[in-house]
mmCIF file of all heavy atoms in Angstrom:
data_model
loop_
_atom_site.group_PDB
_atom_site.id
_atom_site.type_symbol
_atom_site.label_atom_id
_atom_site.label_comp_id
_atom_site.label_asym_id
_atom_site.label_seq_id
_atom_site.Cartn_x
_atom_site.Cartn_y
_atom_site.Cartn_z
ATOM 1 N N GLU A 655 17.603 6.326 -18.093
ATOM 2 C CA GLU A 655 18.657 5.728 -18.914
ATOM 3 C C GLU A 655 18.952 4.296 -18.495
ATOM 4 O O GLU A 655 19.283 3.441 -19.331
ATOM 5 C CB GLU A 655 19.930 6.569 -18.805
ATOM 6 C CG GLU A 655 19.832 7.928 -19.469
ATOM 7 C CD GLU A 655 21.035 8.817 -19.165
ATOM 8 O OE1 GLU A 655 21.969 8.329 -18.489
ATOM 9 O OE2 GLU A 655 21.035 9.990 -19.593
ATOM 10 N N LEU A 656 18.833 4.001 -17.198
ATOM 11 C CA LEU A 656 19.099 2.658 -16.690
ATOM 12 C C LEU A 656 17.892 1.728 -16.824
ATOM 13 O O LEU A 656 17.972 0.549 -16.463
ATOM 14 C CB LEU A 656 19.520 2.729 -15.217
ATOM 15 C CG LEU A 656 20.877 3.375 -14.927
ATOM 16 C CD1 LEU A 656 21.063 3.567 -13.420
ATOM 17 C CD2 LEU A 656 22.014 2.538 -15.500
ATOM 18 N N GLY A 657 16.764 2.251 -17.320
ATOM 19 C CA GLY A 657 15.562 1.438 -17.444
ATOM 20 C C GLY A 657 14.893 1.153 -16.119
ATOM 21 O O GLY A 657 14.187 0.148 -15.969
ATOM 22 N N VAL A 658 15.087 2.041 -15.152
ATOM 23 C CA VAL A 658 14.520 1.872 -13.816
ATOM 24 C C VAL A 658 13.153 2.542 -13.764
ATOM 25 O O VAL A 658 13.004 3.701 -14.172
ATOM 26 C CB VAL A 658 15.462 2.479 -12.752
ATOM 27 C CG1 VAL A 658 14.817 2.431 -11.369
ATOM 28 C CG2 VAL A 658 16.795 1.732 -12.740
ATOM 29 N N SER A 659 12.144 1.849 -13.261
ATOM 30 C CA SER A 659 10.820 2.457 -13.117
ATOM 31 C C SER A 659 10.743 3.234 -11.812
ATOM 32 O O SER A 659 11.448 2.941 -10.842
ATOM 33 C CB SER A 659 9.723 1.392 -13.170
ATOM 34 O OG SER A 659 9.835 0.484 -12.099
ATOM 35 N N LEU A 660 9.860 4.237 -11.801
ATOM 36 C CA LEU A 660 9.793 5.196 -10.700
ATOM 37 C C LEU A 660 8.383 5.209 -10.125
ATOM 38 O O LEU A 660 7.412 5.523 -10.824
ATOM 39 C CB LEU A 660 10.163 6.591 -11.202
ATOM 40 C CG LEU A 660 11.515 6.695 -11.921
ATOM 41 C CD1 LEU A 660 11.718 8.089 -12.500
ATOM 42 C CD2 LEU A 660 12.660 6.337 -10.981
ATOM 43 N N GLY A 661 8.265 4.857 -8.839
ATOM 44 C CA GLY A 661 6.973 4.828 -8.172
ATOM 45 C C GLY A 661 6.866 5.907 -7.119
ATOM 46 O O GLY A 661 7.741 6.021 -6.252
ATOM 47 N N PHE A 662 5.797 6.692 -7.157
ATOM 48 C CA PHE A 662 5.634 7.836 -6.269
ATOM 49 C C PHE A 662 4.439 7.641 -5.328
ATOM 50 O O PHE A 662 3.455 6.984 -5.675
ATOM 51 C CB PHE A 662 5.421 9.116 -7.079
ATOM 52 C CG PHE A 662 6.628 9.540 -7.866
ATOM 53 C CD1 PHE A 662 6.814 9.100 -9.172
ATOM 54 C CD2 PHE A 662 7.596 10.359 -7.306
ATOM 55 C CE1 PHE A 662 7.925 9.486 -9.908
ATOM 56 C CE2 PHE A 662 8.714 10.753 -8.030
ATOM 57 C CZ PHE A 662 8.880 10.304 -9.340
ATOM 58 N N PHE A 663 4.538 8.269 -4.171
ATOM 59 C CA PHE A 663 3.520 8.186 -3.119
ATOM 60 C C PHE A 663 2.912 9.580 -2.955
ATOM 61 O O PHE A 663 3.344 10.371 -2.115
ATOM 62 C CB PHE A 663 4.185 7.712 -1.830
ATOM 63 C CG PHE A 663 3.266 7.494 -0.658
ATOM 64 C CD1 PHE A 663 1.890 7.437 -0.797
ATOM 65 C CD2 PHE A 663 3.795 7.324 0.616
ATOM 66 C CE1 PHE A 663 1.059 7.233 0.283
ATOM 67 C CE2 PHE A 663 2.976 7.120 1.713
ATOM 68 C CZ PHE A 663 1.604 7.079 1.548
ATOM 69 N N PRO A 664 1.884 9.932 -3.751
ATOM 70 C CA PRO A 664 1.411 11.323 -3.790
ATOM 71 C C PRO A 664 0.750 11.810 -2.514
ATOM 72 O O PRO A 664 0.584 13.017 -2.333
ATOM 73 C CB PRO A 664 0.422 11.331 -4.963
ATOM 74 C CG PRO A 664 0.020 9.906 -5.161
ATOM 75 C CD PRO A 664 1.208 9.087 -4.756
ATOM 76 N N ASP A 665 0.373 10.903 -1.606
ATOM 77 C CA ASP A 665 -0.243 11.371 -0.369
ATOM 78 C C ASP A 665 0.747 12.124 0.518
ATOM 79 O O ASP A 665 0.331 12.759 1.492
ATOM 80 C CB ASP A 665 -0.875 10.217 0.404
ATOM 81 C CG ASP A 665 -2.393 10.318 0.428
ATOM 82 O OD1 ASP A 665 -2.887 11.427 0.671
ATOM 83 O OD2 ASP A 665 -3.071 9.310 0.185
ATOM 84 N N HIS A 666 2.037 12.072 0.214
ATOM 85 C CA HIS A 666 2.962 12.984 0.900
ATOM 86 C C HIS A 666 2.533 14.433 0.674
ATOM 87 O O HIS A 666 2.695 15.275 1.562
ATOM 88 C CB HIS A 666 4.385 12.786 0.376
ATOM 89 C CG HIS A 666 5.112 11.651 1.014
ATOM 90 N ND1 HIS A 666 6.469 11.677 1.238
ATOM 91 C CD2 HIS A 666 4.684 10.466 1.492
ATOM 92 C CE1 HIS A 666 6.848 10.547 1.804
ATOM 93 N NE2 HIS A 666 5.777 9.794 1.962
ATOM 94 N N ILE A 667 2.011 14.717 -0.520
ATOM 95 C CA ILE A 667 1.486 16.061 -0.797
ATOM 96 C C ILE A 667 0.139 16.244 -0.115
ATOM 97 O O ILE A 667 -0.124 17.268 0.530
ATOM 98 C CB ILE A 667 1.341 16.284 -2.314
ATOM 99 C CG1 ILE A 667 2.686 16.070 -3.034
ATOM 100 C CG2 ILE A 667 0.782 17.675 -2.597
ATOM 101 C CD1 ILE A 667 3.760 17.034 -2.665
ATOM 102 N N GLY A 668 -0.736 15.244 -0.242
ATOM 103 C CA GLY A 668 -2.078 15.370 0.318
ATOM 104 C C GLY A 668 -2.108 15.464 1.824
ATOM 105 O O GLY A 668 -2.947 16.156 2.396
ATOM 106 N N TYR A 669 -1.186 14.758 2.493
ATOM 107 C CA TYR A 669 -1.128 14.801 3.952
ATOM 108 C C TYR A 669 -0.242 15.940 4.474
ATOM 109 O O TYR A 669 -0.582 16.607 5.449
ATOM 110 C CB TYR A 669 -0.560 13.484 4.495
ATOM 111 C CG TYR A 669 -1.529 12.332 4.590
ATOM 112 C CD1 TYR A 669 -1.085 11.026 4.400
ATOM 113 C CD2 TYR A 669 -2.874 12.522 4.878
ATOM 114 C CE1 TYR A 669 -1.959 9.942 4.487
ATOM 115 C CE2 TYR A 669 -3.753 11.460 4.966
ATOM 116 C CZ TYR A 669 -3.287 10.170 4.774
ATOM 117 O OH TYR A 669 -4.154 9.114 4.860
ATOM 118 N N TYR A 670 0.904 16.123 3.838
ATOM 119 C CA TYR A 670 1.960 16.927 4.473
ATOM 120 C C TYR A 670 2.520 18.048 3.603
ATOM 121 O O TYR A 670 3.535 18.655 3.946
ATOM 122 C CB TYR A 670 3.116 16.007 4.883
ATOM 123 C CG TYR A 670 2.673 14.829 5.705
ATOM 124 C CD1 TYR A 670 2.962 13.522 5.309
ATOM 125 C CD2 TYR A 670 1.949 15.005 6.886
ATOM 126 C CE1 TYR A 670 2.545 12.436 6.063
ATOM 127 C CE2 TYR A 670 1.526 13.924 7.636
ATOM 128 C CZ TYR A 670 1.826 12.639 7.220
ATOM 129 O OH TYR A 670 1.408 11.567 7.963
ATOM 130 N N GLY A 671 1.858 18.338 2.483
ATOM 131 C CA GLY A 671 2.387 19.371 1.599
ATOM 132 C C GLY A 671 2.561 20.716 2.268
ATOM 133 O O GLY A 671 3.467 21.482 1.914
ATOM 134 N N HIS A 672 1.720 21.014 3.256
ATOM 135 C CA HIS A 672 1.804 22.306 3.938
ATOM 136 C C HIS A 672 2.992 22.404 4.883
ATOM 137 O O HIS A 672 3.274 23.482 5.415
ATOM 138 C CB HIS A 672 0.503 22.581 4.688
ATOM 139 C CG HIS A 672 0.151 21.558 5.729
ATOM 140 N ND1 HIS A 672 0.313 20.212 5.551
ATOM 141 C CD2 HIS A 672 -0.368 21.702 6.995
ATOM 142 C CE1 HIS A 672 -0.079 19.560 6.641
ATOM 143 N NE2 HIS A 672 -0.500 20.440 7.516
ATOM 144 N N ARG A 673 3.708 21.275 5.115
ATOM 145 C CA ARG A 673 4.855 21.287 6.021
ATOM 146 C C ARG A 673 6.187 21.209 5.279
ATOM 147 O O ARG A 673 7.250 21.362 5.904
ATOM 148 C CB ARG A 673 4.787 20.081 6.975
ATOM 149 C CG ARG A 673 3.503 19.981 7.778
ATOM 150 C CD ARG A 673 3.312 21.140 8.709
ATOM 151 N NE ARG A 673 2.124 20.953 9.533
ATOM 152 C CZ ARG A 673 1.536 21.916 10.217
ATOM 153 N NH1 ARG A 673 2.012 23.159 10.161
ATOM 154 N NH2 ARG A 673 0.465 21.672 10.943
ATOM 155 N N LEU A 674 6.162 20.964 3.989
ATOM 156 C CA LEU A 674 7.395 20.616 3.289
ATOM 157 C C LEU A 674 8.385 21.774 3.206
ATOM 158 O O LEU A 674 9.589 21.562 3.279
ATOM 159 C CB LEU A 674 7.063 20.092 1.892
ATOM 160 C CG LEU A 674 6.312 18.746 1.896
ATOM 161 C CD1 LEU A 674 5.900 18.371 0.488
ATOM 162 C CD2 LEU A 674 7.168 17.659 2.522
ATOM 163 N N GLU A 675 7.906 23.004 3.042
ATOM 164 C CA GLU A 675 8.846 24.128 2.990
ATOM 165 C C GLU A 675 9.569 24.290 4.322
ATOM 166 O O GLU A 675 10.775 24.548 4.363
ATOM 167 C CB GLU A 675 8.134 25.425 2.605
ATOM 168 C CG GLU A 675 9.095 26.595 2.435
ATOM 169 C CD GLU A 675 8.452 27.808 1.802
ATOM 170 O OE1 GLU A 675 7.313 27.699 1.296
ATOM 171 O OE2 GLU A 675 9.085 28.891 1.808
ATOM 172 N N ALA A 676 8.844 24.127 5.428
ATOM 173 C CA ALA A 676 9.491 24.214 6.742
ATOM 174 C C ALA A 676 10.476 23.070 6.949
ATOM 175 O O ALA A 676 11.484 23.233 7.651
ATOM 176 C CB ALA A 676 8.432 24.195 7.843
ATOM 177 N N MET A 677 10.213 21.918 6.344
ATOM 178 C CA MET A 677 11.085 20.772 6.518
ATOM 179 C C MET A 677 12.327 20.838 5.625
ATOM 180 O O MET A 677 13.434 20.492 6.055
ATOM 181 C CB MET A 677 10.329 19.476 6.223
ATOM 182 C CG MET A 677 9.264 19.134 7.252
ATOM 183 S SD MET A 677 8.298 17.689 6.769
ATOM 184 C CE MET A 677 9.560 16.419 6.767
ATOM 185 N N PHE A 678 12.143 21.309 4.360
ATOM 186 C CA PHE A 678 13.235 21.196 3.382
ATOM 187 C C PHE A 678 13.604 22.492 2.680
ATOM 188 O O PHE A 678 14.536 22.507 1.873
ATOM 189 C CB PHE A 678 12.855 20.152 2.317
ATOM 190 C CG PHE A 678 12.678 18.773 2.869
ATOM 191 C CD1 PHE A 678 11.420 18.178 2.890
ATOM 192 C CD2 PHE A 678 13.745 18.066 3.394
ATOM 193 C CE1 PHE A 678 11.246 16.909 3.407
ATOM 194 C CE2 PHE A 678 13.578 16.802 3.916
ATOM 195 C CZ PHE A 678 12.331 16.211 3.920
ATOM 196 N N GLY A 679 12.887 23.573 2.945
ATOM 197 C CA GLY A 679 13.151 24.810 2.230
ATOM 198 C C GLY A 679 12.344 24.891 0.952
ATOM 199 O O GLY A 679 11.804 23.892 0.453
ATOM 200 N N ALA A 680 12.262 26.097 0.384
ATOM 201 C CA ALA A 680 11.369 26.348 -0.751
ATOM 202 C C ALA A 680 11.770 25.563 -1.993
ATOM 203 O O ALA A 680 10.906 25.025 -2.703
ATOM 204 C CB ALA A 680 11.337 27.841 -1.055
ATOM 205 N N GLU A 681 13.072 25.468 -2.299
ATOM 206 C CA GLU A 681 13.482 24.813 -3.546
ATOM 207 C C GLU A 681 13.140 23.336 -3.534
ATOM 208 O O GLU A 681 12.544 22.810 -4.488
ATOM 209 C CB GLU A 681 14.990 25.006 -3.748
ATOM 210 C CG GLU A 681 15.508 24.476 -5.093
ATOM 211 C CD GLU A 681 15.859 22.990 -5.071
ATOM 212 O OE1 GLU A 681 16.303 22.500 -4.007
ATOM 213 O OE2 GLU A 681 15.684 22.327 -6.112
ATOM 214 N N ARG A 682 13.471 22.644 -2.441
ATOM 215 C CA ARG A 682 13.187 21.214 -2.382
ATOM 216 C C ARG A 682 11.688 20.947 -2.247
ATOM 217 O O ARG A 682 11.179 19.965 -2.792
ATOM 218 C CB ARG A 682 13.977 20.566 -1.241
ATOM 219 C CG ARG A 682 15.461 20.385 -1.561
ATOM 220 C CD ARG A 682 16.209 19.674 -0.450
ATOM 221 N NE ARG A 682 16.375 20.512 0.719
ATOM 222 C CZ ARG A 682 17.022 20.136 1.826
ATOM 223 N NH1 ARG A 682 17.515 18.902 1.919
ATOM 224 N NH2 ARG A 682 17.149 20.961 2.838
ATOM 225 N N ALA A 683 10.970 21.821 -1.542
ATOM 226 C CA ALA A 683 9.523 21.648 -1.447
ATOM 227 C C ALA A 683 8.872 21.790 -2.821
ATOM 228 O O ALA A 683 7.925 21.061 -3.158
ATOM 229 C CB ALA A 683 8.934 22.662 -0.474
ATOM 230 N N GLY A 684 9.389 22.689 -3.645
ATOM 231 C CA GLY A 684 8.827 22.912 -4.965
ATOM 232 C C GLY A 684 8.989 21.730 -5.897
ATOM 233 O O GLY A 684 8.169 21.524 -6.804
ATOM 234 N N ARG A 685 10.034 20.925 -5.711
ATOM 235 C CA ARG A 685 10.246 19.757 -6.570
ATOM 236 C C ARG A 685 9.928 18.449 -5.847
ATOM 237 O O ARG A 685 10.220 17.371 -6.353
ATOM 238 C CB ARG A 685 11.693 19.713 -7.080
ATOM 239 C CG ARG A 685 12.760 19.544 -6.000
ATOM 240 C CD ARG A 685 14.122 19.310 -6.652
ATOM 241 N NE ARG A 685 15.240 19.447 -5.733
ATOM 242 C CZ ARG A 685 15.662 18.488 -4.909
ATOM 243 N NH1 ARG A 685 15.033 17.329 -4.866
ATOM 244 N NH2 ARG A 685 16.693 18.710 -4.109
ATOM 245 N N TYR A 686 9.324 18.544 -4.693
ATOM 246 C CA TYR A 686 9.026 17.350 -3.904
ATOM 247 C C TYR A 686 8.055 16.437 -4.653
ATOM 248 O O TYR A 686 7.071 16.889 -5.238
ATOM 249 C CB TYR A 686 8.417 17.764 -2.564
ATOM 250 C CG TYR A 686 8.393 16.681 -1.510
ATOM 251 C CD1 TYR A 686 9.420 16.569 -0.586
ATOM 252 C CD2 TYR A 686 7.356 15.766 -1.447
ATOM 253 C CE1 TYR A 686 9.406 15.581 0.393
ATOM 254 C CE2 TYR A 686 7.325 14.774 -0.482
ATOM 255 C CZ TYR A 686 8.358 14.684 0.434
ATOM 256 O OH TYR A 686 8.343 13.699 1.397
ATOM 257 N N MET A 687 8.324 15.139 -4.641
ATOM 258 C CA MET A 687 7.496 14.148 -5.329
ATOM 259 C C MET A 687 7.321 14.560 -6.800
ATOM 260 O O MET A 687 6.209 14.841 -7.270
ATOM 261 C CB MET A 687 6.146 14.008 -4.623
ATOM 262 C CG MET A 687 5.491 12.648 -4.734
ATOM 263 S SD MET A 687 6.398 11.253 -4.049
ATOM 264 C CE MET A 687 6.458 11.608 -2.295
ATOM 265 N N PRO A 688 8.416 14.586 -7.581
ATOM 266 C CA PRO A 688 8.397 15.187 -8.931
ATOM 267 C C PRO A 688 7.818 14.244 -9.984
ATOM 268 O O PRO A 688 8.521 13.751 -10.882
ATOM 269 C CB PRO A 688 9.874 15.484 -9.190
ATOM 270 C CG PRO A 688 10.603 14.409 -8.435
ATOM 271 C CD PRO A 688 9.778 14.167 -7.184
ATOM 272 N N ILE A 689 6.528 14.024 -9.936
ATOM 273 C CA ILE A 689 5.884 13.042 -10.807
ATOM 274 C C ILE A 689 5.879 13.506 -12.263
ATOM 275 O O ILE A 689 6.168 12.724 -13.180
ATOM 276 C CB ILE A 689 4.456 12.768 -10.311
ATOM 277 C CG1 ILE A 689 4.488 12.250 -8.874
ATOM 278 C CG2 ILE A 689 3.752 11.769 -11.209
ATOM 279 C CD1 ILE A 689 3.119 12.111 -8.227
ATOM 280 N N ARG A 690 5.587 14.782 -12.482
ATOM 281 C CA ARG A 690 5.533 15.264 -13.865
ATOM 282 C C ARG A 690 6.909 15.188 -14.522
ATOM 283 O O ARG A 690 7.016 14.760 -15.685
ATOM 284 C CB ARG A 690 5.008 16.698 -13.894
ATOM 285 C CG ARG A 690 4.953 17.286 -15.288
ATOM 286 C CD ARG A 690 4.262 18.627 -15.293
ATOM 287 N NE ARG A 690 4.431 19.335 -16.542
ATOM 288 C CZ ARG A 690 3.917 20.530 -16.789
ATOM 289 N NH1 ARG A 690 3.196 21.145 -15.869
ATOM 290 N NH2 ARG A 690 4.112 21.114 -17.951
ATOM 291 N N ALA A 691 7.945 15.570 -13.824
ATOM 292 C CA ALA A 691 9.292 15.489 -14.396
ATOM 293 C C ALA A 691 9.644 14.052 -14.740
ATOM 294 O O ALA A 691 10.285 13.779 -15.761
ATOM 295 C CB ALA A 691 10.311 16.068 -13.420
ATOM 296 N N ALA A 692 9.220 13.124 -13.896
ATOM 297 C CA ALA A 692 9.481 11.712 -14.170
ATOM 298 C C ALA A 692 8.742 11.262 -15.423
ATOM 299 O O ALA A 692 9.297 10.540 -16.268
ATOM 300 C CB ALA A 692 9.073 10.867 -12.974
ATOM 301 N N MET A 693 7.491 11.674 -15.587
ATOM 302 C CA MET A 693 6.739 11.309 -16.784
ATOM 303 C C MET A 693 7.410 11.864 -18.036
ATOM 304 O O MET A 693 7.490 11.190 -19.073
ATOM 305 C CB MET A 693 5.309 11.833 -16.686
ATOM 306 C CG MET A 693 4.433 11.122 -15.670
ATOM 307 S SD MET A 693 4.020 9.427 -16.139
ATOM 308 C CE MET A 693 2.888 9.693 -17.504
ATOM 309 N N GLU A 694 7.916 13.076 -17.951
ATOM 310 C CA GLU A 694 8.545 13.709 -19.114
ATOM 311 C C GLU A 694 9.886 13.066 -19.460
ATOM 312 O O GLU A 694 10.376 13.220 -20.586
ATOM 313 C CB GLU A 694 8.719 15.207 -18.859
ATOM 314 C CG GLU A 694 7.380 15.960 -18.807
ATOM 315 C CD GLU A 694 7.519 17.402 -18.365
ATOM 316 O OE1 GLU A 694 8.617 17.765 -17.862
ATOM 317 O OE2 GLU A 694 6.542 18.159 -18.506
ATOM 318 N N SER A 695 10.477 12.338 -18.525
ATOM 319 C CA SER A 695 11.777 11.699 -18.780
ATOM 320 C C SER A 695 11.671 10.471 -19.668
ATOM 321 O O SER A 695 12.674 9.992 -20.200
ATOM 322 C CB SER A 695 12.418 11.289 -17.454
ATOM 323 O OG SER A 695 11.782 10.124 -16.920
ATOM 324 N N GLY A 696 10.480 9.925 -19.816
ATOM 325 C CA GLY A 696 10.300 8.700 -20.574
ATOM 326 C C GLY A 696 10.376 7.439 -19.744
ATOM 327 O O GLY A 696 10.210 6.335 -20.274
#
Side-chain angles (χ1 to χ4, degrees):
E655 291 171 4
L656 292 171
V658 174
S659 63
L660 306 174
F662 293 91
F663 183 14
D665 248 315
H666 277 214
I667 303 296
Y669 279 147
Y670 308 124
H672 60 319
R673 304 297 184 196
L674 293 174
E675 184 169 349
M677 291 174 63
F678 297 112
E681 186 274 327
R682 285 183 288 181
R685 64 172 166 83
Y686 195 94
M687 209 61 65
I689 301 173
R690 179 172 168 180
M693 289 291 289
E694 292 172 347
S695 75

